[in-house]
Amino acid sequence: MSDRYGELVQSPLGRKVAKNLGLPMPTRLDRYQAGQPVLRGEVAFGTSYQDSAPSQAVLEILQNLDAKITTLDTLAARLADDSARFKVAIFDASSITDTDGLRLVYEFFHQIARRIKPSGRIIIIARPEADTGSDVGFALAQRAVLGFAKSIAKEFKKGISANVLYVQTGAEPHLDHALRFFMSAKSAYVSGQPIYLTKGATLQTDAQLDDKKPLQGKKILVTGASRGIGEAVAGVLARDGALVYCLDVPANLSDLQKVAGNLGGQALPLDITAPDAAEQIAKACGVLDGVVHNAGVTRDKTLANMSEAQWDLVMNINLKAIADLNAYFIAENVLADSARIVCVSSISGIAGNVGQANYAMSKAGVIGLVQATAKLFDGSNRTINAVAPGFIETKMTGAIPFAIREAGRRMNSMSQGGEPVDVAETISWLLAPNASGLNGNVVRVCGQSILGA
Ligand code: NAD
């Protein structure tokens, strides 16, 4: 789907009209181009305690990336140059243990608030609730930074995102994989989110893999791959080196074959609700390194008008099929020891939506499924996570009546819909071998939609 208004405000005249009328002014977001470096400009780095384990890890990561870094020691001098601008600003708040300490967050970001480049990245590092325990001062400070991040994500505009990485003590080695994603253009439409890094399994590969083909040699199944988000996911996974099994209903065979053919993958025409779907997948794919449960449908009606067929179809495709496939894959060893599963939920499953009691229920169920399975995988090399897209420009959202579509598209901090590739980049990041510290997350790819925020 094209966003005509979004294109119009890119012109000087469109911009002027929109500004005078107080209309939303979406910025064209930077998106990843093959071969692009992780860092696209200068980095400002602040910390509440420079010897903390997260700060040491961040500095090492930035040095490995040859970053141009401004630290607290050099910030005042750098800001004296009016032209100084930062593409990334990172603050390690993990050592703040009371309200007074939170002032450091204000001081750092207040100084640089007008110096962040378009499509810039704000990343705050904090400790999760499990680490703060019953220490009230520590807990309030670590939770407080999320409110701060969510607010500046709304304020800064210009496609700038702000997210909090909650790093469990001892999970610092996983910061590399997380920072590479959040500093890069790949995270264009992820904003206002808490992300939880746990110690997880040991990292299997050297970090450099992330820059090249992190999914080389991996066999990954993508359901609903003939179009929309699934097609984009298949494309990004193939770009990152995976052999992709593209599954969709037999009625979409010709589109499916085109998608699979273009990326050297395999087409798998199959309905995931078929009683023998799991066996058929196992027969066609063998042992899988990754599964992306993306296939999904809507049948929107208010509950009073919703037929049993509309209810059953949505629940069976969006939720039951995923639970059944996972149960079979786990029981029958269809998953490799270090397999990664990503389920596509929706912000509708977080916020609820008029006319979507069936859809929102199925997508909320997906989150429950992911969180319980994550516990099952805890201590193993396997992981499972959910992505919850907001308004993404696809056939599904193209079918929404114009006025509602336009409202849905603008109700977020980026004032625009996301692209399927934004969801795909997030999924590829979660599927990578180095993503072993990410288990049980629900990553919203929604430009900080106000729905369910
Ligand atoms: P889409 O309708 O363009 O594509 C969905 C694909 O799933 C289709 O190709 C369809 O044939 C396939 N599919 C449906 N039922 C199937 C079945 N029984 N077996 C196998 N394949 C089946 O939708 P999309 O917008 O690309 O959405 C993809 C996923 O993202 C869905 O789970 C959707 O709920 C979710 N999502 C989308 C948005 C959005 O804004 N587009 C927002 C939130 C969540």
Side-chain angles (χ1 to χ4, degrees):
M1 281 302 300
S2 70
D3 174 1
R4 292 222 180 91
Y5 174 80
E7 282 155 25
L8 188 74
V9 294
Q10 303 306 328
S11 71
L13 179 64
R15 198 155 259 280
K16 201 169 164 194
V17 172
K19 201 172 175 196
N20 287 341
L21 295 177
L23 295 173
M25 304 251 279
T27 299
R28 186 168 287 149
L29 304 180
D30 286 2
R31 289 202 165 81
Y32 177 75
Q33 308 290 326
Q36 189 184 67
V38 170
L39 284 171
R40 297 154 294 136
E42 269 185 76
V43 182
F45 175 59
T47 176
S48 50
Y49 175 48
Q50 64 181 12
D51 290 337
S52 78
S55 284
Q56 295 297 308
V58 170
L59 282 169
E60 197 184 322
I61 292 160
L62 293 175
Q63 276 151 10
N64 286 341
L65 290 167
D66 289 328
K68 180 165 185 208
I69 314 169
T70 297
T71 60
L72 291 176
D73 298 340
T74 52
L75 188 60
R78 186 72 191 103
L79 291 176
D81 174 353
D82 283 344
S83 68
R85 294 288 180 278
F86 304 104
K87 196 72 178 184
V88 175
I90 304 174
F91 191 87
D92 170 17
S94 68
S95 301
I96 300 180
T97 54
D98 56 23
T99 311
D100 290 346
L102 289 169
R103 201 164 198 288
L104 296 171
V105 180
Y106 161 77
E107 284 165 8
F108 178 69
F109 287 106
H110 174 71
Q111 289 183 77
I112 60 173
R114 293 200 178 88
R115 306 292 192 96
I116 309 293
K117 284 185 139 182
S119 285
R121 300 285 186 265
I122 308 293
I123 302 163
I124 298 179
I125 295 168
R127 293 297 191 195
E129 209 183 316
D131 283 20
T132 56
S134 59
D135 182 335
V136 175
F138 193 17
L140 71 82
Q142 299 303 304
R143 182 63 178 76
V145 297
L146 185 57
F148 175 85
K150 287 187 179 211
S151 296
I152 61 173
K154 290 181 180 183
E155 260 179 40
F156 282 12
K157 306 224 166 49
K158 294 187 292 180
I160 297 166
S161 70
N163 294 284
V164 179
L165 301 180
Y166 279 104
V167 186
Q168 187 186 26
T169 302
E172 288 80 10
H174 296 289
L175 267 170
D176 186 82
H177 186 62
L179 281 179
R180 280 168 187 267
F181 177 71
F182 279 102
M183 293 191 299
S184 78
K186 291 181 177 179
S187 58
Y189 203 59
V190 183
S191 191
Q193 303 308 306
I195 304 291
Y196 299 92
L197 300 180
T198 53
K199 276 186 265 187
T202 41
L203 286 164
Q204 299 160 32
T205 52
D206 73 297
Q208 298 310 317
L209 242 188
D210 272 6
D211 289 341
K212 298 169 191 159
K213 290 196 177 281
L215 299 175
Q216 191 72 51
K218 302 288 179 195
K219 286 202 294 183
I220 302 179
L221 172 74
V222 180
T223 69
S226 75
R227 66 179 202 211
I229 293 173
E231 179 183 3
V233 171
V236 168
L237 301 187
R239 177 202 73 192
D240 289 348
L243 169 60
V244 187
Y245 288 87
C246 302
L247 180 152
D248 212 300
V249 287
N252 290 354
L253 182 60
S254 71
D255 284 348
L256 188 64
Q257 281 173 330
K258 241 182 262 161
V259 171
N262 284 342
L263 42 88
Q266 303 279 331
L268 199 55
L270 187 65
D271 184 327
I272 52 167
T273 62
D276 63 346
E279 285 104 313
Q280 296 244 34
I281 291 169
K283 215 166 105 191
C285 310
V287 173
L288 285 164
D289 299 293
V291 177
V292 182
H293 291 293
N294 163 76
V297 292
T298 49
R299 289 293 182 275
D300 295 357
K301 285 277 176 212
T302 54
L303 190 62
N305 293 322
M306 191 179 291
S307 70
E308 283 183 23
Q310 287 161 336
W311 176 267
D312 290 340
L313 187 85
V314 169
M315 294 302 286
N316 287 337
I317 295 174
N318 293 6
L319 187 56
K320 187 170 188 298
I322 300 177
D324 289 351
L325 290 178
N326 280 0
Y328 182 94
F329 292 165
I330 292 168
E332 302 298 324
N333 294 319
V334 180
L335 298 177
D337 284 346
S338 55
R340 311 251 177 271
I341 300 176
V342 178
C343 298
V344 179
S345 177
S346 165
I347 53 162
S348 185
I350 295 169
N353 209 3
V354 174
Q356 292 199 317
N358 51 356
Y359 182 75
M361 194 180 199
S362 71
K363 294 295 187 180
V366 165
I367 293 174
L369 176 153
V370 163
Q371 289 173 341
T373 313
K375 287 190 185 124
L376 192 74
F377 285 174
D378 210 13
S380 79
N381 283 332
R382 292 176 179 163
T383 66
I384 182 166
N385 293 281
V387 293
F391 186 101
I392 306 294
E393 306 282 356
T394 65
K395 262 196 175 169
M396 191 182 256
T397 45
I400 300 172
F402 173 76
I404 303 175
R405 184 169 75 228
E406 192 50 25
R409 182 182 266 154
R410 306 280 166 230
M411 280 194 311
N412 57 70
S413 302
M414 307 273 179
S415 301
Q416 60 194 291
E419 295 292 334
V421 73
D422 299 327
V423 183
E425 297 287 9
T426 308
I427 290 178
S428 184
W429 171 65
L430 291 167
L431 288 169
N434 279 344
S436 52
L438 293 154
N439 187 31
N441 275 275
V442 180
V443 183
R444 292 172 49 149
V445 186
C446 64
Q448 199 182 26
S449 168
I450 61 171
L451 293 180

